[in-house]
C-alpha cells in the first residue's frame, strides 16, 4: 500500500534534500544539484513503473492511484526533467558565446526545489479524491509557479509575476467559491459522494460556471487566457516552456477530476459548452498568434490554440477519449519542449527573442533549424508527425459524437496554424542570414535534449505501441463516471 | 421590496443571512480587485474573495451537514493557502517595486504584443 504514494514522497524528499545540500556547498560545487534532482526524478519514475499494475486508495480514500494517474504523473515528471535540462545552461552559466545577452539565472538550489514542489502539487492533484486535497494540491502546483515566473530580477519578470499572481489568485478564489457551493449542495467533500448527491439546480450551474472559470485559467481557455502572453514573455524561457506544458497538463488533470469524476452524470448538459469553448479557444488563439513578433508570445498563443484542440476529447463518451487526450497531451508536451529547446538555444546565444532574429538559421545551424522545423510541423499536425496522429484521434471523437461543425472549425484552424508556424520556417530556410552571422555553438545538453525530444516526437507518431498501451490501460476508466 | 428587506433583517439569522454576507464579501472583493490601482490593495481584495469561500464552507458545515467537520477543516486550509498566496504576492511586488519604483497596476504595460 505504501508504494502507492512512493513517487510523491521521493519528489518531496528530493526537494528538501536539494534545499539542504544547497545550504552546505559552495557556489562552485552547486553544479552537483542538477544531477541530484534528475536522479530523484528518475527514482520517482521508477516508482511509478514499479507500482504500475497496482491501483488502490490511501488515507481513507482521499488519495488514489489508477491507470490515468500513472500516465499523468509520468508526464509531469518527464516535463520537469526536460525543463531542468533546458535550464542548465542558464543556471550554471555555461555560456558559450562571450557576448551572450541573456543574464544568468541565479539561486540554483531554490530553483530546483521550487520546481520540485510544484511537480509534487501536480502529482497530488491527479490522485486527489477529495475537495480539500484537490484544492490544496492545486494551490501547491500553482503558487510556486508565481515565484518561478518572476525569477529574473528585471522589470518584465516582475510585471509578469504581478499579472500572474493577481489572475491566479482570482482564478483560485472563483474555484474555491464554486467548490464551497458544491459542498453546500451535497454536504460532502468526497468527489464520488458529491457526484452521487448532485441534482440539477440553478445553484449547481453557478458552481459549474465558477469552477469552469478557475479551470479555464489553468488551461488557458478563451476567454480566461489574458494572462498567458505577458507571463510567457516575462518568465525565464525554461519556465515558459514549463508553464506551457506541465501547467497545462495539470489543468487537463483537473478537468478530468471535475468533469468526469464529479459532473460525469451531467455529461449531456456541458457537452455543448465544451464544444463552444473549444471552437473559441482554437480560433482566437490562432488569430492572436498570427500577429505576434516575439517568439515567446507567439508560443503562448500557439499553446492557447492547442488547448482548444485538447478539450475536444471531452465531447464524446467514446472508449478512446481518455487515451486520445492523454496521448495528445504527451505529443504536445514533447513537441513543444523540442521547440522550446531550440528557442532557448537561440536566445542563450544571441539574447534575441524576435521571430525575425531566426532568419537564416538553416544556413548557420542546419541541425537545430531542422529540429525546430520538425517540432513546428508536429504542432501544426502535418503527417506523419505525431501531432497529426494526436489531432486525428481528437477530431474523430468530436465527429463520432456528432459535432461535425466543430471538426470543420478545427480543420480550418489547423490550416491557419500551419500558416503561422510556416512564418518561422520561412525565416529560417528562405530568408538569408544577417550579414556576418556565424554558426551558433550548441551546448551538449541542449543538443542532446533537442535531439531526443524531436526523435521521441516523431516516434510517437510513427509507432503505435505507446498509444496502444495507454488505450489498453484506460479504456474502461470513463465508463465508471459517465453513463 | 422594502418590507421584504425589513422582515428578512428581523428574522433570526439562518443560512440565507450568512449566504448574503458571504456573497457581499465576494462582491466587494471582486469590485476591489477590478478597481484598485495599487497591487497591494488588489491582494487585500483577493483576501476578501478567499475568505468569502472559507465562510461558505463553515456555514454549510453548520447548516447542511452538522455531523462532520469537513467544512471547518477546509476553511483552515483556505486560511493557510491565502497566507501563502499573499506572501508570494508581496515578495513579487517588493521585487517589482525595486525595479520600477511603483506597484500601480495601470503602469504595467512594458510588454506589448
Amino acid at each position: 500500500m505504501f508504494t502507492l504514494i512512493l513517487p510523491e514522497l521521493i519528489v518531496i524528499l528530493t526537494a528538501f534534500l536539494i534545499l539542504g545540500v544547497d545550504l552546505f556547498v559552495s557556489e562552485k560545487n552547486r553544479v552537483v544539484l542538477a544531477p541530484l534532482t534528475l536522479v530523484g526524478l528518475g527514482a520517482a519514475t521508477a516508482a511509478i513503473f514499479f507500482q504500475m499494475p497496482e491501483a488502490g486508495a490511501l488515507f481513507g480514500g482521499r488519495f488514489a492511484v489508477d491507470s490515468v494517474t500513472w500516465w499523468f504523473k509520468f508526464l509531469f515528471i518527464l516535463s520537469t526533467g526536460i525543463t531542468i535540462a533546458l535550464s542548465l545552461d542558464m543556471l550554471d552559466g555555461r555560456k558559450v558565446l562571450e557576448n551572450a545577452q541573456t543574464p544568468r539565472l541565479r539561486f540554483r538550489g531554490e530553483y530546483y526545489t521550487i520546481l520540485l514542489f510544484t511537480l509534487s502539487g501536480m502529482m497530488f492533484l491527479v490522485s486527489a479524491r477529495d475537495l480539500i486535497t484537490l484544492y490544496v494540491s492545486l494551490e501547491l502546483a500553482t503558487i510556486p509557479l508565481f515565484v518561478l515566473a518572476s525569477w529574473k530580477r528585471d522589470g518584465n519578470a516582475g510585471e509578469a509575476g504581478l499579472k500572474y499572481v493577481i489572475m491566479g489568485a482570482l482564478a483560485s478564489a472563483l474555484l474555491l467559491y464554486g467548490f464551497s457551493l458544491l459542498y453546500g449542495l451535497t454536504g460532502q467533500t468526497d468527489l464520488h459522494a458529491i457526484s452521487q448527491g448532485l441534482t440539477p439546480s440553478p445553484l449547481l450551474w453557478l458552481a459549474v460556471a465558477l469552477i469552469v472559470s478557475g479551470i479555464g485559467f489553468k488551461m488557458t481557455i478563451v476567454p480566461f487566457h489574458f494572462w498567458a502572453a505577458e507571463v510567457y514573455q516575462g518568465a525565464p524561457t525554461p519556465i515558459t516552456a514549463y508553464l506551457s506544458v506541465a501547467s497545462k497538463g495539470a489543468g487537463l488533470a483537473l478537468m478530468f477530476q471535475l468533469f468526469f469524476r464529479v459532473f460525469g452524470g451531467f455529461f449531456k448538459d456541458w457537452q455543448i459548452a465544451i464544444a463552444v469553448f473549444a471552437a473559441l479557444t482554437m480560433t482566437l488563439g490562432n488569430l492572436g498568434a498570427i500577429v505576434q513578433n516575439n517568439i515567446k508570445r507567439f508560443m503562448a498563443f500557439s499553446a492557447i490554440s492547442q488547448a482548444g484542440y485538447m478539450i475536444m476529447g471531452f465531447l464524446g463518451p467514446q472508449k478512446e477519449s481518455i487515451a486520445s487526450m492523454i496521448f495528445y497531451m504527451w505529443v504536445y508536451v514533447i513537441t513543444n519542449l523540442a521547440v522550446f529547446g531550440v528557442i532557448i538555444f537561440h536566445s542563450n546565444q544571441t539574447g534575441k527573442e524576435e521571430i525575425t532574429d531566426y532568419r537564416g538559421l538553416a544556413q548557420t545551424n542546419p541541425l537545430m533549424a531542422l529540429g525546430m522545423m520538425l517540432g513546428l510541423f508536429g504542432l501544426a499536425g502535418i503527417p506523419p508527425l505525431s501531432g497529426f496522429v494526436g489531432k486525428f484521434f481528437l477530431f474523430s471523437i468530436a465527429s463520432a459524437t456528432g459535432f461535425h461543425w466543430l471538426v470543420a472549425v478545427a480543420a480550418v484552424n489547423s490550416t491557419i496554424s500551419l500558416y503561422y508556424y510556416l512564418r518561422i520556417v520561412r525565416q529560417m530556410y528562405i530568408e538569408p542570414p544577417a550579414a556576418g552571422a556565424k554558426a551558433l555553438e550548441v551546448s551538449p545538453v541542449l543538443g542532446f535534449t533537442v535531439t531526443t525530444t524531436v526523435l521521441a516526437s516523431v516516434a510517437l507518431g510513427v509507432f503505435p505501441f505507446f498509444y496502444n498501451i495507454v488505450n489498453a490501460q484506460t479504456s474502461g476508466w470513463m465508463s465508471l463516471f459517465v453513463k | 421590496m422594502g418590507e421584504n428587506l425589513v422582515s428578512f433583517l428581523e428574522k433570526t439569522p439562518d443560512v440565507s443571512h450568512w449566504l448574503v454576507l458571504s456573497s457581499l464579501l465576494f462582491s466587494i472583493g471582486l469590485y476591489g480587485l477590478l478597481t484598485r490601482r495599487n497591487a497591494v490593495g488588489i491582494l487585500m481584495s483577493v483576501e476578501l474573495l478567499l475568505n468569502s469561500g472559507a465562510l461558505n464552507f463553515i456555514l454549510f458545515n453548520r447548516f447542511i451537514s452538522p455531523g462532520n467537520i469537513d467544512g471547518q477543516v477546509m476553511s483552515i486550509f483556505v486560511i493557510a493557502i491565502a497566507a501563502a498566496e499573499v506572501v508570494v504576492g508581496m515578495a513579487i511586488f517588493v521585487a517589482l517595486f525595486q525595479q520600477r519604483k511603483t506597484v500601480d497596476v495601470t503602469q504595467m504595460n512594458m510588454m506589448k504584443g
Side-chain angles (χ1 to χ4, degrees), chain A residues 132 135 139 143 146 150 153 155-156 158-159 162-163 165 169 174 176-177 180 183-184 187 189 230 233 297, chain B residues 22 26 46 50 52 56-57 60-61 65 70-71 74 77 81 85 88 92-93 96 99-100 108 110-111 113:
Chain A
I132 304 175
Y135 185 67
E139 292 302 300
I143 294 179
F146 302 156
S150 47
R153 288 298 179 85
N156 272 355
E159 187 180 319
L162 176 133
K163 285 171 180 166
V165 164
L174 293 174
L176 177 71
Y177 208 84
S180 76
Y183 178 64
T189 55
E230 319 263 286
Q233 190 186 348
R297 289 182 84 92
Chain B
S22 100
F26 190 84
V46 166
L50 289 171
S52 73
N56 256 357
F57 269 102
F60 284 137
N61 195 164
S65 62
D70 288 335
M74 181 70 173
F77 275 109
I81 285 169
E85 203 133 33
V88 167
I92 290 172
F93 296 166
L96 179 66
Q99 298 291 332
R100 298 261 191 107
M108 297 303 153
M110 244 170 69
M111 292 181 282

Side-chain angles (χ1 to χ4, degrees), chain A residues 162 167 341 346-347 379:
Chain A
L162 176 133
M167 297 309 288
H346 190 266
S347 76
L379 288 178

Side-chain angles (χ1 to χ4, degrees), chain B residues 41-110:
Chain B
I42 291 183
L43 268 195
M44 289 161 67
S45 313
V46 166
E47 283 292 289
L48 283 183
L49 286 172
L50 289 171
N51 282 339
S52 73
L55 182 63
N56 256 357
F57 269 102
I58 294 179
L59 71 94
F60 284 137
N61 195 164
R62 166 76 177 74
F63 290 101
I64 306 285
S65 62
N68 56 42
I69 55 162
D70 288 335
Q72 298 175 34
V73 172
M74 181 70 173
S75 70
I76 292 173
F77 275 109
V78 171
I79 292 170
I81 285 169
E85 203 133 33
V86 167
V87 164
V88 167
M90 285 307 289
I92 290 172
F93 296 166
V94 168
L96 179 66
F97 188 78
Q98 285 171 353
Q99 298 291 332
R100 298 261 191 107
K101 302 296 171 223
T102 176
V103 284
D104 184 344
V105 290
T106 56
Q107 305 294 313
M108 297 303 153
N109 49 10
M110 244 170 69

Side-chain angles (χ1 to χ4, degrees), chain A residues 244-387:
Chain A
S244 73
V245 296
S247 176
K248 199 152 287 187
L252 191 67
L254 187 62
M255 281 184 85
F256 270 48
Q257 295 276 33
L258 291 169
F259 281 89
F260 289 144
R261 206 176 282 283
V262 179
F263 304 131
F266 302 98
F267 185 78
K268 286 276 175 280
D269 299 304
W270 50 258
Q271 211 179 14
I272 179 75
I274 291 275
V276 171
F277 274 125
L280 273 181
T281 306
M282 54 182 108
T283 312
L284 289 177
N286 276 333
L287 294 181
I290 289 179
V291 296
Q292 299 305 321
N293 293 316
N294 181 295
I295 187 102
K296 280 156 85 177
R297 289 182 84 92
F298 170 85
M299 289 308 287
F301 281 99
S302 142
I304 291 171
S305 68
Q306 299 284 343
Y309 301 126
M310 224 170 279
I311 59 174
M312 281 171 75
F314 283 94
L315 289 175
Q318 312 290 332
K319 235 170 52 201
E320 297 85 14
S321 5
I322 302 294
S324 312
M325 276 189 281
I326 294 181
F327 179 74
Y328 194 71
M329 196 70 218
W330 268 85
V331 166
Y332 166 71
V333 163
I334 290 174
T335 318
N336 218 35
L337 284 173
V339 173
F340 265 106
V342 182
I343 293 175
I344 288 167
F345 145 77
H346 190 266
S347 76
N348 272 358
Q349 296 294 323
T350 62
K352 292 177 184 158
E353 289 174 354
E354 299 297 308
I355 289 178
T356 46
D357 295 327
Y358 285 80
R359 54 193 294 203
L361 191 70
Q363 289 178 36
T364 53
N365 291 71
L367 282 177
M368 280 306 209
L370 181 68
M372 182 89 158
M373 186 177 76
L374 286 176
L376 291 173
F377 281 175
L379 288 178
I382 289 185
L385 295 167
S386 52

Side-chain angles (χ1 to χ4, degrees), chain A residues 224-239:
Chain A
F224 312 106
H225 66 290
F226 293 108
W227 59 278
E230 319 263 286
V231 174
Y232 280 32
Q233 190 186 348
T237 319
I239 297 305

